Amino acid sequence: MPRIELSSGPIDYQDSGGEGPVLVFGHGPPMNESQWRKVVPLLDGYRCVLPTLPLGGHRQPMNPDADLSQRGVARLLGEFIESLGLGRVTLVLNDWGGGQFLVSEGQDQHIARLVLVACEAFDNFPPGPAKAMSKVCKVPGGVWLLTRLMRVPALRHSRRGYGGMSLRGIPDEIMDDWFAPATRSRAIRRDFAKFATGAPDSRTLLAWSERLRDFDRPVLVVWATEDRLMPREHGPRLAELYPRGRLVEIADSSTLIPEDQPELLARTLIDFLVETGAEPARRDR
């Protein structure tokens, strides 16, 4: 897997290559690029770039002094896009919504359009059950305890936890891969604790959200109708917040729409890209 060294440390990433428009995919905590494994193969003609962000599922620890708050990770994502020379990209987020802070931080010059797929928004950082997890991560040894609890099938697949993020169920081998780095590395657990406890208060989050009104490029909001983590009303509210926002709701899915409805999500994404001027590259070029 390619790796790039950034100011906060190393970032691994996957790159499908090709000459098509560039799509950059964000993932949730403590996940990795495999969150999009069902969708990327359906996006023929597009160059898909998937960084493994330091949200707890990353395989290489970051620098000890790295800023891994919500704002810090957003800035790191922006640095990643700029350092790879990707030009103007379509940024696609699912679960983690912090990539929007590139807009509120005024660092969105490389973002041509946004796709927000059932992700954190407004003051829902972190969402629902993850708020309890954030409190645990503030306690010494808390992240270590969480990694052990995630080995227990009943907790791993609980509808109040990761089991509730997908109606289809996340395969154990995928979750094993997500949880492995923090299980074996104290430095990864340190990074995860920074991120999990790095959201500001609700007042600050809502103030940042107001700045999103300045983003004048196309935005697609894709929301799941049976989501347990992201409030149903946040979908239309986000679409209205962005001047060029549009909403598509997808039924029979929870937060991880790439897991539950990958084909429908890919078609929706391609339709949006084509309508907003990002035609896929032709094979015969």
Side-chain angles (χ1 to χ4, degrees):
M1 182 179 291
R3 180 177 300 162
I4 185 171
E5 191 72 31
L6 300 179
S7 60
S8 293
I11 296 290
D12 294 332
Y13 64 96
Q14 288 185 350
D15 187 346
S16 69
E19 298 180 356
V22 180
L23 315 181
V24 175
F25 294 83
H27 58 79
M31 306 175 193
N32 60 32
E33 73 290 335
S34 66
Q35 182 175 334
W36 295 99
R37 71 194 184 283
K38 295 181 180 180
V39 175
V40 169
L42 305 176
L43 300 174
D44 188 45
Y46 291 95
R47 179 183 174 189
C48 298
V49 181
L50 301 95
T52 303
L53 300 169
L55 309 186
H58 55 301
R59 303 169 183 91
Q60 300 294 324
M62 305 303 285
N63 299 337
D65 61 350
D67 177 3
L68 301 182
S69 64
Q70 292 282 349
R71 173 187 273 172
V73 175
R75 288 173 170 169
L76 187 64
L77 176 59
E79 183 184 350
F80 171 82
I81 294 169
E82 183 172 7
S83 296
L84 280 186
L86 298 176
R88 287 170 62 80
V89 309
T90 298
L91 179 59
V92 187
L93 304 175
N94 175 227
D95 187 23
W96 177 63
Q100 296 176 86
F101 299 144
L102 284 172
V103 177
S104 58
E105 291 292 301
Q107 297 181 0
D108 58 341
Q109 65 272 22
H110 298 298
I111 309 300
R113 56 187 66 73
L114 273 172
V115 180
L116 306 175
V117 182
C119 65
E120 296 164 319
F122 303 107
D123 58 349
N124 193 37
F125 288 83
K131 287 182 170 60
M133 181 181 70
S134 177
K135 293 179 180 179
V136 171
C137 290
K138 292 180 180 179
V139 178
V143 177
W144 179 88
L145 176 61
L146 284 174
T147 63
R148 268 57 191 174
L149 291 175
M150 284 303 102
R151 295 179 179 180
V152 180
L155 293 175
R156 172 182 282 201
H157 298 291
S158 168
R159 304 305 290 174
R160 296 184 178 182
Y162 282 92
M165 297 185 73
S166 167
L167 299 185
R168 305 292 184 273
I170 307 166
D172 276 321
E173 62 269 21
I174 296 297
M175 284 199 282
D176 286 344
D177 186 43
W178 291 350
F179 300 136
T183 300
R184 63 175 177 253
S185 169
R186 177 180 294 180
I188 298 292
R189 292 195 293 273
R190 174 205 65 203
D191 292 346
F192 181 52
K194 283 187 182 183
F195 172 77
T197 60
D201 58 55
S202 293
R203 184 174 181 178
T204 300
L205 287 167
L206 291 174
W208 289 356
S209 297
E210 282 301 305
R211 300 178 197 168
L212 302 178
R213 298 183 188 277
D214 296 333
F215 189 77
D216 58 358
R217 280 140 275 169
V219 177
L220 173 65
V221 178
V222 183
W223 228 246
T225 60
E226 298 174 63
D227 198 335
R228 295 171 176 265
L229 293 180
M230 313 303 169
R232 179 77 178 270
E233 65 270 17
H234 278 191
R237 186 176 163 192
L238 263 183
E240 292 174 5
L241 180 69
Y242 285 100
R244 297 179 63 186
R246 68 179 76 174
L247 173 67
V248 173
E249 291 191 325
I250 291 184
D252 195 25
S253 181
S254 190
T255 309
L256 295 182
I257 299 178
E259 195 73 29
D260 287 343
Q261 296 284 2
E263 294 86 2
L264 181 53
L265 177 58
R267 290 198 301 270
T268 302
L269 178 55
I270 291 171
D271 288 345
F272 169 71
L273 292 167
V274 171
E275 290 172 10
T276 57
E279 294 273 354
R282 294 175 55 184
R283 289 184 177 181
D284 57 354
R285 288 180 180 173

